[in-house]
Amino acid sequence: MTPTPFSAGLPELTAARLADSWQLDPYALALVVLLGGLYAWGVVRLARRGERWPVARSAAFAGIGLGAITVATMSGLAVYDHELFWPAAVQNIVLDLIAPLGLALGDPLALALRALGERSPTARRLRGALSGRLLRLLTFPLVSTVLVLASELAIYFTPYFTTALRHGPLHELMYLQLLVVGTLFVLPMLTREELLPTWCSHPVRALLVLVDGLVDSVPGIVVMTSGTLVAGGWYTAHHRPWDPSPQRDQMIGGGLMLTLAELIGLPFLIAVFAEWVRSERGRTVALDARLDRELATAAAPVPPSAPAVPDATGTPADTKAPHPELTRPWWETDQGAVGERYRRGGGGAPRG
């Protein structure tokens, strides 16, 4: 880990220095390279099979997801996080909220399963892990929300954060914890793989995102209004004449935590609605294809090689009425969500 700012003799933090100051974090770099390499392998493997993977998803994964990890762990935020509280607070929010959103928008699970192939033993093991009880419990919406809140409060209001500032390996573990816990909530909401219970439809997911936005604002409010300094002994000992007072530093950090948590809620909600629209469009396409097949079957002429054989009533078979399932309105026979909604609407013609 980089030496503490006290021994490094850092100059006064300005906007220019925040943008220009960088340091190498080998552990974070290894994680970024590993995740980026696996993702690129999946995209290339699909391309070699003639399949396309959306460029927007790749850009979100690399630019927002991996980019946020890089900024949080190696930019000026990481350089000054041992001297001032507010860079550390922003750093943690970036890892807890922004990076997971970018990774989830890339939908790495769907990419991995497509790249491996449905019949691959590795894909079967991955699906088995995704359907396991432990992961189902950790990604259950209410559980994952509580985990995010408990993780942040534990960092700021226990000796955890002060200890992490003193010990580099624990600080790296804290980074990983924030990233994993945030991903447990965000990824199931946006992936095309079914990780959530069946009752968690897209409207429910949108509601859960709104609730999560309120929960994510709690740590910032508590930090900003707390009368107890977070890692007060550490930051008081490392205070410099040009730094804000520890009390003001903590107020700035809490305010930035609250602001970022509220700002990230809107693109998260938009992403959930976009997945909702995509899902409904896919269902509509599948339903139209099914109706086309049924109509084609109903309109198909009887093959000439099959002579009309009178039935018991004397009526030739080719003059009998078509199968009742092919003449009833589609919304009466459709077993999907659209047909069910139309049947609940009155049992007659579909309502607009």
Side-chain angles (χ1 to χ4, degrees):
M1 188 73 183
T2 301
T4 63
F6 182 76
S7 61
L10 291 175
E12 179 181 2
L13 178 59
T14 62
R17 287 200 179 99
L18 183 64
D20 294 340
S21 301
W22 290 84
Q23 68 179 20
L24 178 64
D25 186 326
Y27 300 101
L29 180 61
L31 178 63
V32 168
V33 171
L34 175 63
L35 294 178
L38 290 174
Y39 197 90
W41 171 85
V43 174
V44 171
R45 188 178 176 92
L46 287 181
R48 289 177 176 174
R49 295 206 305 251
E51 302 179 35
R52 291 187 58 192
W53 183 254
V55 175
R57 289 195 179 275
S58 300
F61 186 88
I64 302 176
L66 300 183
I69 296 174
T70 302
V71 168
T73 59
M74 289 183 269
S75 73
L77 296 175
V79 173
Y80 280 87
D81 66 350
H82 282 67
E83 179 175 315
L84 291 167
F85 171 76
W86 74 259
V90 172
Q91 183 184 47
N92 293 346
I93 286 294
V94 170
L95 289 171
D96 198 30
L97 299 180
I98 299 177
L101 179 60
L103 297 178
L105 288 172
D107 202 355
L109 293 180
L111 173 62
L113 291 170
R114 279 185 57 184
L116 291 170
E118 292 295 330
R119 298 183 180 181
S120 165
T122 306
R124 287 197 295 268
R125 286 194 292 269
L126 178 58
R127 285 196 180 278
L130 295 178
S131 60
R133 291 184 179 180
L134 177 60
L135 191 59
R136 291 287 182 176
L137 173 63
L138 294 177
T139 56
F140 190 81
L142 299 179
V143 173
S144 58
T145 299
V146 171
L147 282 176
V148 171
L149 179 61
S151 174
E152 292 191 9
L153 293 180
I155 286 174
Y156 296 119
F157 296 101
T158 69
Y160 185 4
F161 186 50
T162 304
T163 308
L165 290 171
R166 297 180 184 277
H167 302 284
L170 184 59
H171 206 182
E172 299 291 341
L173 184 62
M174 187 186 75
Y175 289 161
L176 185 62
Q177 171 193 322
L178 289 164
L179 182 64
V180 170
V181 171
T183 303
L184 286 175
F185 178 80
V186 179
L187 183 59
M189 292 286 177
L190 298 179
T191 184
R192 284 173 286 181
E193 300 301 315
E194 294 299 329
L195 299 183
L196 297 174
T198 54
W199 56 263
C200 197
S201 60
H202 284 90
V204 175
R205 296 182 194 190
L207 178 61
L208 290 172
V209 170
L210 292 176
V211 173
D212 183 71
L214 297 176
V215 173
D216 287 338
S217 66
V218 171
I221 294 174
V222 175
V223 167
M224 186 169 51
T225 59
S226 175
T228 303
L229 289 177
V230 177
W234 174 274
Y235 285 113
T236 299
H238 292 75
H239 182 263
R240 296 176 181 277
W242 52 78
D243 292 338
S245 66
Q247 293 81 5
R248 179 169 175 77
D249 181 24
Q250 182 164 317
M251 287 188 62
I252 295 172
L256 290 171
M257 290 171 62
L258 176 60
T259 301
L260 290 174
E262 293 303 313
L263 288 177
I264 202 64
L266 180 58
F268 190 5
L269 189 61
I270 293 174
V272 170
F273 274 104
E275 287 297 316
W276 186 2
V277 171
R278 184 199 63 78
S279 176
E280 290 298 320
R281 185 182 296 120
R283 291 182 181 181
T284 302
V285 170
L287 178 60
D288 288 343
R290 176 183 171 183
L291 292 175
D292 290 341
R293 289 194 301 269
E294 291 184 354
L295 291 174
T297 303
V302 177
S305 58
V309 179
D311 61 9
T313 62
T315 304
D318 61 350
T319 61
K320 291 171 63 177
H323 194 282
E325 291 295 317
L326 299 179
T327 58
R328 293 169 61 189
W330 65 266
W331 58 85
E332 293 185 8
T333 59
D334 178 69
Q335 300 302 315
V338 178
E340 180 66 24
R341 185 160 63 244
Y342 282 142
R343 289 193 291 275
R344 288 200 306 265
R351 298 180 178 182

